[in-house]
Amino acid sequence: MGPSGKFDGPDPEQHMSQRPGRSVLIADDDAIFRTVAAELVRSWGYGCTEVADGEGALKVLEQSQPPTIAIVDWLMPKVTGTEICRRIRTADSKQYIFFVLVSARDGREDSIEGLRSGADAYISKPLDAEELRAKLEIANRILLMEESLRDLHAETELFFNSVPSALIGTDLEGKITRWNSGADEIFGVNKPIVRGCRLSSLHVGGSDPDIPRKIEEVLSTGSSRQLTVPFPRNDVQRLADLTIHPLRSHVGTIVGSVIIGSDITEKRAWEDQMRQTQKLEAIGQLAAGIAHEINTPTQFVGDNLSFLKESWTGLAELLAAAQKLTSTGTPAAASNLTKFEAIASKLDLAYVLQEIPRAINDSLEGLQRTSKIVRAMKAFSHRSSGEKQATDINAAILTTITISRSEWKYVAEVDTDLAADLPLVPCVIDQLNQAVLNIIVNAAHAIAEVVKDGAQGKGRITVHTRRDGDWAEIAISDTGNGIPEQIRNRVFEPFFSTKDVGKGTGQGLALAHTVVVKEHGGKIWFESEPSHGTTFFMQLPLTRH
């Protein structure tokens, strides 16, 4: 109704901007107001539903497809307009409803109270048609924006849930705010259950405090963190690789975190199998040399035992003759003395007495050497639990040098400079042994090319350890030809090798990189100088990473 009191027809511009199906609820116990308002909104192209009390309004608004605009009277029988606003706003509605609160009262405090209840706009009685139409136009524009935002949100959710990895959002307290379908699939827990929880309460990471600590670090420092954690699914323990990034607002303030995760159980099992396969392959390649290392001391122990056996026959005769000389308690008979002297002469007693201690010492040394090799092999081939344990890496390095001796003894001398003050290092020792072995064997092969397999003397391999702040550092140097500049960016690639076919799989340095960087959160790099050799550096954190 315009200033003339006549009903206006539909506004063309407003009508074109609204979406089809826009409808209005008019709830008022004043029949005249209800009838006039209904005729106006219908004349402007809206569908309209009329009710006379608050209960009727709630029933309409709680339908699966309620009106998109609600004009409700402040004071109505049974349920007031402000109470209707509060109930609908607190309900989990999938559709936004624009509320216009109507009242005969016209005070600032009343308007504030109405807006606090959830109303979007406020009009007074008596009804002004132009004011009502203006409010509907505002409602229509806001609803269009709301629907566009919902469409955008739905598209974002579709994209978010199409990612196969787990995408998890948390607030500043580490509580879950977002959880995609990938997280459902990986962790076997759906979104309604996890919202508001912490990952640790879902047993992700077990009792390890790393997850809450890492999230706290991300929120406080703004730097990303990565960790591998166990989690249960269907009563089976699995592994997830998680990367935690800070979530920033448009002004750069950290407002939470984003966690990207994937189930690496099968991948880890495959990597473990590959590591074990390469370990067995390395042991197989070293077996001939180790057998030779054991055979040499075994052979001279056998020779010494044969010498002792032969010597014992003569010594037994000599002792028997000596016994006869002393058994009678009277001066020895001349014949017994002559026999004793003959046996002693034949035995070469002076020589035997000199060589027997030497043979015993050599045999003991050979047995100790054999025992050392066997212990080293046992330690190297032992498969650990896969958990990091505080380890003496100096002892582990000496073990690895021992079992690899057949690879370097003809082409290089090995020097060690192992820091006595190096603390125990948390590591998976069989993985670290394999990484060190791969680099030492590569060093021996590099030197062999220079010294022509020992024909031109020997090179040198030097192994250092030291503490560098919160890191334990291992440096392995060789006097080989160095790594050519053009391939240095590829040395850690899987299956890349410069060796002849049959002499390398290209997995050695790739595996070392995986062990040091991925499994231990460490660093690995090298420095190389043409014709002067290469030094590989490995750093492992002294605190659990």
Side-chain angles (χ1 to χ4, degrees), residues 122-163:
Y122 185 89
I123 60 175
S124 301
K125 291 181 179 179
L127 179 63
D128 183 306
E130 291 301 324
E131 182 184 15
L132 177 60
R133 185 165 64 172
K135 292 292 192 276
L136 291 179
E137 177 60 19
I138 292 170
N140 195 53
R141 290 175 180 171
I142 290 175
L143 287 169
L144 284 171
M145 288 189 289
E146 175 69 23
E147 287 161 359
S148 296
L149 286 173
R150 284 179 178 270
D151 290 344
L152 180 61
H153 177 74
E155 186 177 339
T156 303
E157 282 292 306
L158 179 63
F159 175 80
F160 188 68
N161 288 312
S162 297
V163 177

Side-chain angles (χ1 to χ4, degrees), residues 34-78:
R34 195 169 62 246
T35 300
V36 172
E39 290 184 7
L40 281 171
V41 299
R42 287 191 181 103
S43 70
W44 295 329
Y46 295 90
C48 184
T49 302
E50 302 173 49
V51 295
D53 58 47
E55 277 189 357
L58 280 174
K59 287 180 182 179
V60 174
L61 294 173
E62 289 171 350
Q63 294 173 356
S64 59
Q65 292 185 328
T68 52
I69 302 170
I71 302 171
V72 295
D73 190 17
W74 187 301
L75 294 175
M76 287 187 293
K78 300 179 182 178

Side-chain angles (χ1 to χ4, degrees), residues 336-514:
N336 287 340
L337 186 57
T338 302
K339 185 176 181 180
F340 178 85
E341 290 173 347
I343 293 171
S345 176
K346 180 182 177 182
L347 181 62
D348 194 355
L349 184 59
Y351 172 78
V352 170
L353 292 177
Q354 178 183 332
E355 291 299 321
I356 284 178
R358 190 177 296 170
I360 291 172
N361 288 335
D362 286 349
S363 297
L364 288 173
E365 183 183 338
L367 290 174
Q368 289 170 355
R369 183 173 164 189
T370 301
S371 178
K372 180 181 178 182
I373 294 170
V374 171
R375 286 197 306 269
M377 275 299 296
K378 185 177 179 181
F380 181 84
S381 60
H382 175 70
R383 186 168 187 173
S384 70
S385 64
E387 298 294 328
K388 294 177 184 175
Q389 303 290 337
T391 304
D392 180 354
I393 64 170
N394 286 342
I397 288 169
L398 292 174
T399 292
T400 304
I401 290 172
T402 298
I403 69 155
S404 63
R405 187 170 184 271
S406 61
E407 290 287 326
W408 51 260
K409 71 175 183 177
Y410 296 114
V411 298
E413 300 291 346
V414 173
D415 295 330
T416 58
D417 179 16
L418 308 180
D421 62 345
L422 191 66
L424 298 180
V425 179
C427 65
V428 183
I429 189 56
D430 58 339
Q431 294 182 8
L432 183 61
N433 281 342
Q434 184 69 53
V436 172
L437 174 68
N438 292 346
I439 294 175
I440 289 176
V441 170
N442 277 2
H445 292 173
I447 292 172
E449 293 180 2
V450 174
V451 301
K452 309 303 180 187
D453 292 327
Q456 298 179 9
K458 290 186 177 182
R460 190 164 298 276
I461 298 172
T462 307
V463 184
H464 297 269
T465 61
R466 71 184 184 103
R467 179 171 185 166
D468 183 11
D470 293 331
W471 301 87
E473 183 175 286
I474 304 170
I476 303 174
S477 303
D478 66 65
T479 56
N481 268 330
I483 301 173
E485 182 73 34
Q486 63 270 23
I487 66 168
R488 290 182 186 180
N489 63 335
R490 300 191 61 194
V491 295
F492 294 120
E493 288 182 12
F495 306 108
F496 176 75
S497 177
T498 59
K499 298 175 184 177
D500 294 337
V501 176
K503 289 189 176 181
T505 62
Q507 287 288 80
L509 291 177
L511 184 141
H513 186 276
T514 298

